[in-house]
Amino acid sequence: MSREFPIGLTPPDWLVRNLRAQPAPVNRPAVLRAAIALALPLAIGLAVDRPFYGALASMGALNGVISDTAAAYRVRIPTIAIPQLFGAVGITVGAAVYGHGWVAVAAVTGVALVSGMISTIGAVASAAGLVLLLTSVVGAGLPMPGAWWLAPLLMSGGGLLVLLLALLAWPLRSGVPERAAVADTYRKVADLLAAGGQSGTGSTLAYDDARHAVTQSLNQSYDIILAHRARHHGRSPELTRLLAQLNAITPVVEAAPAARLSGRPL
């Protein structure tokens, strides 16, 4: 890295490397699901002259899109459904204190504290805490149409629409996300070994990028496999085989630094 500033003002290489933008593939099915789930309720609401109802359902769909981060189909059910439950609670609490001045401030503050404590439990709880806080703020700041139960019902319906769209391909693609994650890890390790045998000015940067890609792919694969396998209690031969394949690639990853030091193409 070229140093254009004095030594004391130059950021360290590890900081520059971690702050550099990492290219990520676009999840086209998720983009399509988000477009349909967000636009469809609003379009129906406008068609029946109930735009407020459509907006609430679209807000629930937005919460579902935020929570839709899992790749395995079985894991998508809790990751999308649980935040919707907290969103319904949040909009109910917010609507109950709407227009009550300092009572609303105190209620939203309490919800924020609860949301922060929930977020420390795990990834799903973090999304649930975020949705809880957002919906309580919306409910406390805007008047909700209809009866008290209508707003949480509409928002939950929008989130369940996202869940339905996410599970449409489950009968045809069951197990595909897990196998694809493991296959991607093997490809990333192959790229790492290939980068380790290169030489030249850009070889170090290519090797570092490949090493980071392997770490990210391994983390994602283990998250998908172990989260899915935990619900089967070790009774799935397919998941056991995939986990064994992930464990088998670890010695190959550990051999990459030696390949790098040798400087010979593999």
Coordinates of all heavy atoms in Angstrom, one line a residue, residues 209-264:
D209 N -7.6 -11.7 -0.2 CA -9.0 -11.7 -0.6 C -9.6 -13.1 -0.6 O -10.7 -13.3 -0.1 CB -9.2 -11.0 -2.0 CG -8.9 -9.5 -1.9 OD1 -9.0 -8.9 -0.8 OD2 -8.7 -8.9 -3.0
A210 N -8.8 -14.0 -1.1 CA -9.3 -15.4 -1.2 C -9.4 -16.0 0.2 O -10.3 -16.8 0.5 CB -8.3 -16.3 -2.0
R211 N -8.5 -15.6 1.1 CA -8.5 -16.2 2.5 C -9.7 -15.6 3.2 O -10.4 -16.3 3.9 CB -7.2 -15.7 3.2 CG -7.1 -16.2 4.6 CD -5.7 -16.1 5.1 NE -5.2 -14.7 5.0 CZ -5.4 -13.8 5.8 NH1 -6.1 -14.0 6.9 NH2 -4.9 -12.5 5.6
H212 N -10.1 -14.3 3.0 CA -11.3 -13.8 3.6 C -12.5 -14.4 3.1 O -13.5 -14.7 3.8 CB -11.3 -12.3 3.4 CG -10.2 -11.5 4.1 ND1 -9.7 -10.3 3.7 CD2 -9.5 -11.9 5.2 CE1 -8.7 -9.9 4.5 NE2 -8.6 -10.8 5.4
A213 N -12.5 -14.7 1.8 CA -13.7 -15.3 1.1 C -13.9 -16.7 1.7 O -15.0 -17.2 1.9 CB -13.5 -15.4 -0.4
V214 N -12.8 -17.5 1.9 CA -12.9 -18.8 2.5 C -13.5 -18.7 3.9 O -14.4 -19.5 4.3 CB -11.5 -19.5 2.5 CG1 -11.6 -20.8 3.4 CG2 -11.2 -19.9 1.1
T215 N -13.0 -17.8 4.7 CA -13.5 -17.7 6.1 C -15.0 -17.3 6.1 O -15.8 -17.9 6.9 CB -12.7 -16.6 6.8 OG1 -11.3 -16.9 6.9 CG2 -13.2 -16.4 8.3
Q216 N -15.4 -16.4 5.3 CA -16.8 -16.1 5.2 C -17.7 -17.2 4.7 O -18.8 -17.5 5.3 CB -17.0 -14.9 4.3 CG -18.4 -14.4 4.2 CD -18.6 -13.2 3.3 OE1 -17.6 -12.7 2.7 NE2 -19.8 -12.6 3.2
S217 N -17.2 -18.0 3.7 CA -17.9 -19.1 3.2 C -18.0 -20.2 4.2 O -19.1 -20.9 4.4 CB -17.3 -19.6 1.9 OG -18.0 -20.7 1.4
L218 N -17.0 -20.5 5.0 CA -17.0 -21.5 6.0 C -18.0 -21.1 7.1 O -18.7 -22.0 7.6 CB -15.6 -21.7 6.6 CG -14.7 -22.7 5.9 CD1 -13.3 -22.6 6.5 CD2 -15.2 -24.1 6.0
N219 N -17.9 -19.9 7.5 CA -18.9 -19.5 8.6 C -20.3 -19.6 8.1 O -21.2 -20.1 8.9 CB -18.6 -18.0 8.9 CG -17.3 -17.8 9.6 OD1 -16.7 -18.8 10.2 ND2 -16.7 -16.6 9.6
Q220 N -20.6 -19.2 6.9 CA -22.0 -19.3 6.4 C -22.4 -20.8 6.3 O -23.5 -21.1 6.6 CB -22.1 -18.6 5.1 CG -23.5 -18.6 4.5 CD -23.6 -17.9 3.1 OE1 -22.6 -17.4 2.6 NE2 -24.8 -17.8 2.6
S221 N -21.5 -21.6 5.8 CA -21.9 -23.1 5.6 C -22.1 -23.7 7.0 O -23.1 -24.5 7.1 CB -20.7 -23.8 4.9 OG -20.6 -23.3 3.6
Y222 N -21.3 -23.5 7.9 CA -21.5 -24.0 9.3 C -22.8 -23.5 9.9 O -23.5 -24.3 10.6 CB -20.3 -23.8 10.2 CG -19.2 -24.8 10.1 CD1 -17.9 -24.4 9.6 CD2 -19.4 -26.1 10.4 CE1 -16.9 -25.3 9.5 CE2 -18.4 -27.0 10.3 CZ -17.1 -26.7 9.9 OH -16.1 -27.6 9.7
D223 N -23.0 -22.2 9.7 CA -24.3 -21.7 10.3 C -25.5 -22.4 9.7 O -26.4 -22.8 10.4 CB -24.4 -20.2 10.0 CG -23.4 -19.4 10.9 OD1 -23.0 -19.9 11.9 OD2 -23.2 -18.2 10.5
I224 N -25.5 -22.6 8.3 CA -26.6 -23.2 7.7 C -26.8 -24.7 8.1 O -27.9 -25.1 8.5 CB -26.5 -23.1 6.2 CG1 -26.6 -21.6 5.7 CG2 -27.5 -23.9 5.5 CD1 -26.3 -21.4 4.2
I225 N -25.7 -25.4 8.1 CA -25.7 -26.9 8.4 C -26.1 -27.1 9.8 O -27.0 -27.9 10.2 CB -24.4 -27.5 8.0 CG1 -24.1 -27.3 6.5 CG2 -24.4 -29.0 8.4 CD1 -25.1 -27.9 5.6
L226 N -25.4 -26.4 10.7 CA -25.6 -26.7 12.2 C -27.0 -26.2 12.6 O -27.6 -26.8 13.5 CB -24.5 -26.0 13.0 CG -23.1 -26.6 12.8 CD1 -22.1 -25.9 13.7 CD2 -23.1 -28.1 13.1
A227 N -27.5 -25.1 12.1 CA -28.8 -24.6 12.5 C -29.9 -25.5 12.0 O -30.9 -25.8 12.7 CB -29.0 -23.2 11.9
H228 N -29.7 -26.1 10.8 CA -30.6 -27.1 10.3 C -30.5 -28.4 11.0 O -31.5 -29.0 11.4 CB -30.4 -27.3 8.8 CG -31.5 -28.1 8.1 ND1 -31.5 -28.2 6.7 CD2 -32.5 -28.8 8.6 CE1 -32.6 -28.9 6.4 NE2 -33.2 -29.3 7.5
R229 N -29.3 -28.9 11.3 CA -29.0 -30.2 11.9 C -29.5 -30.2 13.3 O -29.9 -31.3 13.8 CB -27.5 -30.5 11.8 CG -27.2 -31.9 12.2 CD -25.8 -32.2 11.8 NE -25.4 -33.6 12.1 CZ -24.7 -34.0 13.2 NH1 -24.4 -33.1 14.1 NH2 -24.5 -35.2 13.4
A230 N -29.5 -29.1 14.0 CA -29.9 -29.0 15.4 C -31.3 -29.4 15.6 O -31.7 -30.0 16.6 CB -29.7 -27.6 16.0
R231 N -32.2 -29.2 14.5 CA -33.6 -29.6 14.6 C -33.8 -31.0 14.3 O -34.9 -31.5 14.5 CB -34.4 -28.6 13.7 CG -34.4 -27.2 14.2 CD -35.0 -26.3 13.1 NE -35.2 -25.0 13.7 CZ -34.3 -24.0 13.9 NH1 -33.0 -24.3 13.6 NH2 -34.6 -22.9 14.4
H232 N -32.8 -31.7 13.8 CA -32.9 -33.1 13.5 C -32.3 -34.0 14.5 O -32.4 -35.2 14.4 CB -32.3 -33.4 12.1 CG -33.2 -32.9 10.9 ND1 -34.1 -33.7 10.3 CD2 -33.3 -31.7 10.4 CE1 -34.7 -33.0 9.3 NE2 -34.2 -31.8 9.4
H233 N -31.6 -33.4 15.4 CA -30.9 -34.2 16.5 C -30.0 -35.3 15.9 O -29.9 -36.4 16.5 CB -31.9 -34.8 17.4 CG -32.9 -33.8 18.0 ND1 -32.5 -32.9 19.0 CD2 -34.2 -33.5 17.8 CE1 -33.5 -32.1 19.3 NE2 -34.5 -32.5 18.6
G234 N -29.3 -35.0 14.8 CA -28.3 -35.9 14.3 C -28.9 -37.1 13.5 O -28.2 -38.0 13.2
R235 N -30.2 -37.0 13.2 CA -30.8 -38.2 12.6 C -30.9 -38.1 11.0 O -31.4 -39.0 10.4 CB -32.3 -38.3 13.1 CG -32.4 -38.7 14.5 CD -33.8 -39.2 14.9 NE -34.7 -38.1 14.7 CZ -35.1 -37.2 15.7 NH1 -34.6 -37.4 16.9 NH2 -36.0 -36.3 15.4
S236 N -30.3 -37.0 10.5 CA -30.4 -36.8 9.0 C -29.1 -37.2 8.4 O -28.0 -36.6 8.7 CB -30.7 -35.4 8.7 OG -30.6 -35.1 7.3
P237 N -29.0 -38.3 7.7 CA -27.7 -38.8 7.0 C -27.2 -37.7 6.1 O -26.0 -37.5 5.9 CB -28.1 -40.1 6.3 CG -29.4 -40.5 7.0 CD -30.1 -39.3 7.4
E238 N -28.1 -37.0 5.4 CA -27.7 -36.0 4.4 C -26.9 -34.9 5.1 O -25.8 -34.4 4.7 CB -28.9 -35.4 3.7 CG -28.6 -34.2 2.8 CD -27.8 -34.6 1.5 OE1 -27.7 -35.8 1.2 OE2 -27.4 -33.7 0.8
L239 N -27.5 -34.4 6.2 CA -26.8 -33.3 7.0 C -25.5 -33.8 7.6 O -24.5 -33.0 7.7 CB -27.7 -32.7 8.0 CG -29.0 -31.9 7.4 CD1 -29.8 -31.5 8.6 CD2 -28.5 -30.8 6.6
T240 N -25.5 -35.0 8.1 CA -24.3 -35.6 8.7 C -23.2 -35.7 7.6 O -22.0 -35.4 7.9 CB -24.6 -37.0 9.2 OG1 -25.6 -36.9 10.2 CG2 -23.3 -37.6 9.9
R241 N -23.5 -36.1 6.4 CA -22.5 -36.1 5.3 C -22.0 -34.8 5.0 O -20.8 -34.6 4.8 CB -23.2 -36.8 4.1 CG -22.2 -36.9 2.9 CD -22.9 -37.5 1.7 NE -24.0 -36.7 1.2 CZ -23.9 -35.7 0.4 NH1 -22.7 -35.4 -0.1 NH2 -24.9 -35.0 0.0
L242 N -22.9 -33.7 4.9 CA -22.4 -32.4 4.6 C -21.5 -31.8 5.7 O -20.5 -31.2 5.4 CB -23.7 -31.5 4.4 CG -24.5 -31.8 3.1 CD1 -25.8 -30.9 3.1 CD2 -23.7 -31.6 1.9
L243 N -21.9 -32.1 6.9 CA -21.0 -31.6 8.0 C -19.7 -32.3 8.0 O -18.6 -31.7 8.2 CB -21.7 -31.9 9.3 CG -21.0 -31.4 10.6 CD1 -20.8 -29.9 10.5 CD2 -21.8 -31.7 11.8
A244 N -19.6 -33.6 7.6 CA -18.3 -34.3 7.5 C -17.5 -33.7 6.4 O -16.3 -33.6 6.5 CB -18.6 -35.8 7.3
Q245 N -18.2 -33.3 5.3 CA -17.4 -32.7 4.2 C -16.8 -31.4 4.6 O -15.7 -31.0 4.2 CB -18.4 -32.6 3.0 CG -18.7 -33.9 2.3 CD -19.7 -33.7 1.2 OE1 -20.4 -32.7 1.1 NE2 -19.9 -34.7 0.3
L246 N -17.6 -30.6 5.4 CA -17.0 -29.3 5.8 C -15.9 -29.6 6.8 O -14.8 -28.9 6.7 CB -18.1 -28.6 6.6 CG -19.1 -27.7 5.7 CD1 -20.1 -27.0 6.6 CD2 -18.3 -26.7 4.9
N247 N -16.0 -30.6 7.6 CA -14.8 -30.9 8.5 C -13.6 -31.3 7.8 O -12.5 -31.1 8.2 CB -15.3 -31.9 9.6 CG -16.3 -31.4 10.5 OD1 -16.5 -30.2 10.8 ND2 -17.1 -32.3 11.1
A248 N -13.9 -32.0 6.7 CA -12.7 -32.6 5.9 C -12.0 -31.5 5.2 O -10.8 -31.7 4.8 CB -13.3 -33.6 4.9
I249 N -12.6 -30.4 4.9 CA -11.9 -29.3 4.1 C -11.0 -28.5 5.0 O -10.1 -27.8 4.6 CB -12.9 -28.4 3.5 CG1 -12.3 -27.6 2.3 CG2 -13.6 -27.4 4.4 CD1 -11.9 -28.5 1.2
T250 N -11.2 -28.6 6.4 CA -10.4 -27.8 7.3 C -8.9 -28.1 7.2 O -8.1 -27.1 7.1 CB -10.8 -28.1 8.7 OG1 -12.2 -27.7 8.9 CG2 -10.0 -27.2 9.7
P251 N -8.4 -29.3 7.1 CA -6.9 -29.5 6.9 C -6.4 -28.9 5.6 O -5.3 -28.5 5.5 CB -6.8 -31.1 6.9 CG -8.0 -31.6 7.6 CD -9.1 -30.6 7.3
V252 N -7.2 -28.9 4.6 CA -6.8 -28.3 3.3 C -6.6 -26.8 3.5 O -5.7 -26.2 2.9 CB -7.8 -28.6 2.2 CG1 -7.4 -28.1 0.9 CG2 -8.1 -30.1 2.1
V253 N -7.5 -26.2 4.2 CA -7.4 -24.7 4.5 C -6.1 -24.5 5.3 O -5.4 -23.5 5.0 CB -8.7 -24.2 5.2 CG1 -8.5 -22.7 5.6 CG2 -9.9 -24.4 4.4
E254 N -5.9 -25.3 6.2 CA -4.7 -25.1 7.1 C -3.4 -25.3 6.3 O -2.3 -24.8 6.6 CB -4.7 -26.1 8.2 CG -5.8 -25.9 9.2 CD -5.9 -26.9 10.3 OE1 -5.3 -28.0 10.1 OE2 -6.7 -26.7 11.3
A255 N -3.5 -26.1 5.2 CA -2.3 -26.3 4.3 C -2.0 -25.1 3.3 O -1.0 -25.1 2.7 CB -2.4 -27.6 3.5
A256 N -3.0 -24.2 3.2 CA -2.9 -23.1 2.3 C -1.7 -22.2 2.6 O -1.0 -21.8 1.7 CB -4.2 -22.3 2.3
P257 N -1.4 -21.9 3.9 CA -0.1 -21.0 4.1 C 1.1 -21.7 3.6 O 2.1 -21.0 3.1 CB -0.1 -20.9 5.6 CG -1.6 -21.0 6.0 CD -2.1 -22.0 5.1
A258 N 1.2 -23.0 3.8 CA 2.4 -23.8 3.3 C 2.5 -23.7 1.7 O 3.6 -23.5 1.2 CB 2.4 -25.2 3.7
A259 N 1.4 -23.8 1.1 CA 1.4 -23.6 -0.4 C 1.8 -22.2 -0.8 O 2.4 -22.0 -1.8 CB 0.0 -23.9 -0.9
R260 N 1.4 -21.2 0.0 CA 1.7 -19.8 -0.2 C 3.2 -19.6 -0.1 O 3.9 -18.9 -0.9 CB 1.0 -19.0 0.8 CG 1.4 -17.5 0.7 CD 1.0 -16.9 -0.6 NE 1.4 -15.5 -0.6 CZ 1.5 -14.7 -1.7 NH1 1.2 -15.3 -2.9 NH2 1.8 -13.5 -1.6
L261 N 3.8 -20.2 1.0 CA 5.3 -20.1 1.2 C 6.1 -20.8 0.1 O 7.2 -20.3 -0.3 CB 5.6 -20.6 2.5 CG 5.1 -19.8 3.8 CD1 5.5 -20.6 5.0 CD2 5.7 -18.4 3.7
S262 N 5.6 -21.9 -0.5 CA 6.3 -22.6 -1.5 C 6.4 -21.8 -2.8 O 7.4 -21.8 -3.5 CB 5.7 -23.9 -1.8 OG 4.4 -23.8 -2.4
G263 N 5.3 -21.0 -3.1 CA 5.4 -20.1 -4.3 C 5.3 -20.9 -5.6 O 5.5 -20.3 -6.6
R264 N 4.9 -22.2 -5.5 CA 4.8 -23.0 -6.7 C 3.3 -23.2 -7.1 O 2.5 -23.5 -6.2 CB 5.5 -24.3 -6.6 CG 7.0 -24.2 -6.4 CD 7.7 -25.6 -6.6 NE 7.1 -26.6 -5.7 CZ 7.7 -26.9 -4.5 NH1 8.8 -26.2 -4.1 NH2 7.1 -27.8 -3.8

